Amino acid sequence: MRAKARNEAEAVTTEMTGADILIDSLKKENVEVLFGYPGGAVLSIYDALYRSPIKHILSKHEQGSIHAAEGYARVSGKPGVVIATSGPGATNLVTGITDAMMDSLPIVIFTGQVASNVIGTDAFQEADVMGITSPITKHNFQVRDVKDLPRIIKEAFHIASTGRPGPVLVDIPKDVSNMKMVPGDECKVNLPGYQPTFSPNVLQIKKLADAIGTAKKPVILAGAGVLHANAGKELRAFSERHEIPVVNTLLGLGSYPGKHPLFLGMGGMHGTYTANMALYECDLLISIGARFDDRLTGNLDHFARHATVAHIDVDPAEIGKNIPTQIPIVSDAREALISLLDTETRTPETEEWRKQLAQKNEDYPLWYKSNTEEFLPQRVIELVHKHTKGDAIITTDVGQHQMWAAQYYSFADPNKWVTSGGLGTMGFGFPAAIGAQLAFPDQTVVSITGDGGFQMTLQELSVLQELNLPVKIVIVNNQSLGMVRQWQAAFYEQRYSQSLIPVQPDFVKLGEAYGIKAYQVHTEEEAEAVFSEAFAHRDPVLIDCRVSGTENVYPMIAPGKGLHEMIGVKP
């Protein structure tokens, strides 16, 4: 007994380095996967990681690390964790940090920094990471004393994953990684200035309930906040109880079943005619976890101009920012929906409204030309849906393929759609698919990407090769920067300045160089056969789909136009 007590006392008083404290803190936060790339300023941290059971994924570029962490966070709901060295290692993360900030993803980033005594002297591989990342993080820290490290890490995870999620960066000078201290008691989060509102004001809920009871043309706009709050079940129950149609934002797809009779589709620039006309004509707009960005609203003078607007959002800064709001409700989306379900509410008389919307949907469905021998990109998406039975995790970059995937891959369940919404980052989708596959090893993950965006992060094929991750890569290859080409055709008199890319690598040989099965298909028949084989086994596959180079994404709201002024609504 005395020996045991002595050993326990020694354990308590044993000094630990800052690097060991960091790894120990990650274990306490239940971090299972770490995405990163080593370098001089983080060597002590990687030495501590060498002795740790935490799984480390070595990307081939820091941008790959952070996009993979985004994909992991998006589908799992757990913070994605990234580590990079000082200087160029940290600055290579900037695009991904900004992307996570705009799309509200919980990411915790640890960057190495030059030694404390040379900060500000333009030392080798020094960059002002605090200054660079202040506008693009929810919060950032620089650790100057190892004694502060356990508390800062605890606060970083708390801030990243509560309220409106977002990226938090911790900058660690390399001398702090080597400093030693005796760990104290488990630290607790104490942030008096950061107390996000979680539950709604009951009086505001009552106001909304009253407005619902008198509405004739209500519609729900469900954004990513519904997914972050795990509120899909409550959203469906609420809409079904009161027979209120639902529109999704781009990032909200999956929060409501895509085949549900009350679902109107995606709203916004390339949304369905029915969804956009519902937003235009409604008399009560209930926005839940959406931020009314410009790609959703079109010209603000024409957005929900006849509607009472109720806005439920966990971030008070979003309420009233773009759209005047009559019923503001600061709350977690799930808590607000639970409160609404518990509040006595008269179900509005929406039968005539729903009949009007059903007729619009029948008259103006999504369409593409079918009387052609060309292999169309829309059919690629439909074939992916068919061969995955609509149950895959889908990741995309930005552009035409992204919009076609949003339009033609109907999501039945939440957290299956991973895309770059706010920032619109080319190169996002493929590494995000790696992160999603690591979060859910047994699920089918498909990276639908363009031939332009894929070439920005294709070096991460090495990760598939190393780990044999069964990600399926489907390149929608129209030999152009498709959305740029579409806008040049529509608004720049077909002057295709630097948007056509006929000279490309052989993607089949590229895949094979990484030991990955690869195919090229030119017709729907070829695609059927290749997809059948590719989705029948659990190996990584690359499929280069050579599609029509002249297809455009329709319908579309041109810049400066309102939701009711869509073009390409009919063939």
Side-chain angles (χ1 to χ4, degrees), residues 154-177:
K154 191 81 173 175
E155 290 175 357
F157 277 88
H158 176 73
I159 294 170
S161 57
T162 56
R164 179 179 181 173
V168 176
L169 182 139
V170 181
D171 194 42
I172 307 176
K174 61 183 179 181
D175 56 309
V176 173
S177 296

Side-chain angles (χ1 to χ4, degrees), residues 40 107 119 128 178 181 204 228 241 278 289 369 413 422 453-454 464 519:
I107 307 292
I119 289 176
D128 180 9
N178 293 316
M181 64 170 281
Q204 294 300 96
H228 294 317
R241 178 182 296 181
K369 56 188 180 185
D413 299 308
F454 180 61
L464 293 197
Y519 307 86

Side-chain angles (χ1 to χ4, degrees), residues 522-542:
H522 297 82
T523 67
E524 186 174 330
E525 292 72 24
E526 290 175 355
E528 280 277 14
V530 168
F531 282 19
S532 292
E533 180 181 345
F535 288 105
H537 59 76
R538 298 288 296 169
D539 295 318
V541 177
L542 185 154

Side-chain angles (χ1 to χ4, degrees), residues 302-442:
H302 301 290
F303 183 80
R305 57 191 303 183
H306 307 297
T308 296
V309 177
H311 192 168
I312 300 169
D313 205 294
V314 76
D315 183 359
E318 290 296 344
I319 298 177
K321 184 178 82 174
N322 295 330
I323 299 295
T325 301
Q326 288 73 49
I327 308 175
I329 301 175
V330 180
S331 172
D332 171 81
R334 183 169 180 269
E335 290 299 309
L337 284 164
I338 289 172
S339 185
L340 282 166
L341 287 166
D342 290 341
T343 300
E344 185 175 342
T345 306
R346 176 176 170 268
T347 294
E349 297 175 4
T350 63
E351 184 177 3
E352 183 59 32
W353 171 234
R354 287 183 285 114
K355 281 183 180 178
Q356 293 174 21
L357 294 174
Q359 189 62 51
K360 285 182 171 65
N361 196 46
E362 184 177 332
D363 292 342
Y364 305 104
L366 291 172
W367 65 274
Y368 57 87
K369 56 188 180 185
S370 55
N371 57 340
T372 177
E373 294 183 0
E374 290 183 294
F375 188 24
L376 298 180
Q378 298 93 328
R379 282 298 293 151
V380 173
I381 309 303
E382 291 178 332
L383 288 172
V384 172
H385 189 277
K386 172 185 173 182
H387 287 275
T388 60
K389 299 179 174 59
D391 193 39
I393 294 172
I394 302 294
T395 74
T396 77
D397 278 9
V398 64
Q400 287 184 320
H401 72 276
Q402 176 193 39
M403 292 298 109
W404 284 318
Q407 290 176 336
Y408 291 98
Y409 196 101
S410 179
F411 294 91
D413 299 308
N415 303 319
K416 295 292 186 74
W417 172 240
V418 183
T419 194
S420 175
L423 194 61
T425 304
M426 293 180 70
F428 168 88
F430 173 43
I434 291 172
Q437 189 73 80
L438 287 163
F440 292 106
D442 297 329

Side-chain angles (χ1 to χ4, degrees), residues 106 203 214 224:
L203 295 177
T214 59

